[in-house]
């Protein structure tokens, strides 16, 4: 089992819809969880982080964490074409290593 | 505030040649990471420094890769000799733990092509 897994893409949603990105992790002792956005040919850019169970909202983005089920998700409301990118889930494990998932490619169709 | 600075942005070398990448982290960030990212995959950690100490280098191919972070600021990553399979983007990131806050910020990366 890979340490961090993400739902396979590509994911396509129409403009204005909600995009849902999922991530699961294997280390139950993981403490911190991050979502990065990576445009093609660019470096990853941090967009959200979450440490506690529940929801965390920032503008159109909502991160959801469920440590019991070992999953973290990212919801993007009112998706825009500019949201089209690869979204990387990153997990800081119990041994202080930040592990990235393979990424999910999102395409928002105008 | 300046972000993480990497150089060069691009490098093309022949196999068996040496290559080095340089990273200047965000000022005050004690933690520095080197990642390698292949096309269509997430970044893979090569080495993590806390100040000048390499605290995790378990994924670094030590037969050909080396890294250093003298004085706990700038860092260099070296490959000698390079192989075709080393072609990838090499990303440097830095972070500073503030409470539970450990967000890492990335540089622009160095795209290495080995021919």
């Amino acid at each position: 089992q890979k340490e961090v897994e993400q739902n396979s893409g590509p994911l396509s949603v129409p403009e204005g819809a909600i995009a849902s990105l999922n991530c699961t992790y294997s280390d139950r002792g993981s403490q911190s969880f991050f979502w990065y956005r990576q445009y093609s040919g660019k470096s990853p850019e941090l967009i959200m982080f979450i440490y506690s169970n529940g929801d965390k909202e920032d503008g159109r983005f909502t991160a959801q964490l469920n440590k019991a089920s070992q999953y973290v998700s990212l919801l993007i409301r009112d998706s825009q074409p500019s949201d089209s990118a690869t979204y990387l889930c990153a997990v800081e494990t119990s041994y202080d290593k930040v592990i990235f998932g393979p990424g999910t490619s999102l395409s928002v169709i105008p | 505030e300046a972000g993480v600075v990497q150089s060069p942005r691009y490098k093309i070398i022949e196999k068996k040649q040496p290559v080095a990448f340089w990273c200047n982290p965000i000022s005050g960030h004690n933690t520095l990471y080197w990642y390698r990212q292949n096309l269509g995959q997430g970044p893979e950690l090569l080495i993590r420094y806390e100040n000048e100490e390499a605290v995790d280098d378990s994924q670094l191919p030590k037969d050909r890769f080396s890294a250093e972070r003298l004085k706990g600021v700038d860092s260099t990553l070296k490959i000698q000799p390079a192989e075709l399979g080393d072609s990838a983007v090499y990303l440097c990131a830095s972070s500073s733990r503030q409470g539970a806050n450990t967000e890492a910020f990335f540089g622009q990366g160095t795209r290495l092509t080995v021919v």
Side-chain angles (χ1 to χ4, degrees):
Chain A
Q1 180 189 9
K2 293 185 178 178
E3 294 186 80
V4 180
E5 299 193 60
Q6 297 184 238
N7 50 326
S8 59
L11 176 66
S12 292
V13 299
E15 183 174 356
I18 296 175
S20 177
L21 304 161
N22 299 319
C23 173
T24 58
Y25 58 94
S26 60
D27 181 3
R28 184 170 289 278
S30 297
Q31 298 294 321
S32 308
F33 308 86
F34 310 90
W35 283 100
Y36 285 82
R37 177 176 60 201
Q38 186 173 28
Y39 292 113
S40 180
K42 302 295 185 181
S43 57
E45 170 194 14
L46 180 70
I47 55 172
M48 287 285 287
F49 59 89
I50 186 168
Y51 306 113
S52 303
N53 276 328
D55 295 358
K56 179 182 179 182
E57 188 174 318
D58 184 1
R60 296 186 295 110
F61 298 96
T62 299
Q64 299 175 317
L65 175 61
N66 184 323
K67 289 186 177 181
S69 300
Q70 294 176 238
Y71 86 78
V72 57
S73 64
L74 179 70
L75 300 178
I76 307 174
R77 292 182 300 281
D78 188 23
S79 296
Q80 301 297 308
S82 59
D83 295 326
S84 298
T86 295
Y87 290 80
L88 297 163
C89 171
V91 175
E92 185 179 18
T93 65
S94 58
Y95 42 98
D96 293 336
K97 180 181 290 189
V98 177
I99 306 294
F100 281 81
T104 298
S105 175
L106 171 67
S107 179
V108 180
I109 310 301
Chain B
E1 178 182 320
V4 178
V5 179
Q6 290 187 247
S7 68
R9 289 292 311 277
Y10 306 92
K11 191 73 176 179
I12 301 175
I13 61 170
E14 293 183 341
K15 62 182 180 182
K16 300 184 181 179
Q17 294 302 305
V19 64
F21 314 125
W22 174 81
C23 173
N24 179 241
I26 293 173
S27 177
H29 280 194
N30 300 324
T31 306
L32 184 146
Y33 314 80
W34 282 103
Y35 287 88
R36 175 172 59 190
Q37 187 175 26
N38 291 303
L39 190 63
Q41 299 180 22
E44 171 195 5
L45 180 67
L46 294 175
I47 189 168
R48 174 169 67 96
Y49 282 93
E50 294 291 344
N51 298 305
E52 66 275 11
E53 181 183 0
V55 297
D56 184 354
D57 63 357
S58 57
Q59 300 286 77
L60 191 71
K62 298 181 184 61
D63 57 335
R64 297 183 300 106
F65 286 65
S66 64
E68 61 182 10
R69 192 185 183 197
L70 299 177
K71 302 181 181 179
V73 182
D74 294 2
S75 177
T76 57
L77 177 69
K78 298 178 181 177
I79 308 175
Q80 182 172 9
E83 298 179 352
L84 295 177
D86 296 331
S87 296
V89 175
Y90 290 82
L91 294 163
C92 178
S94 70
S95 68
S96 176
R97 183 178 289 275
Q98 295 180 7
N101 207 356
T102 57
E103 307 98 285
F105 297 90
F106 284 85
Q108 291 299 305
T110 296
R111 181 177 297 277
L112 174 67
T113 302
V114 182
V115 297

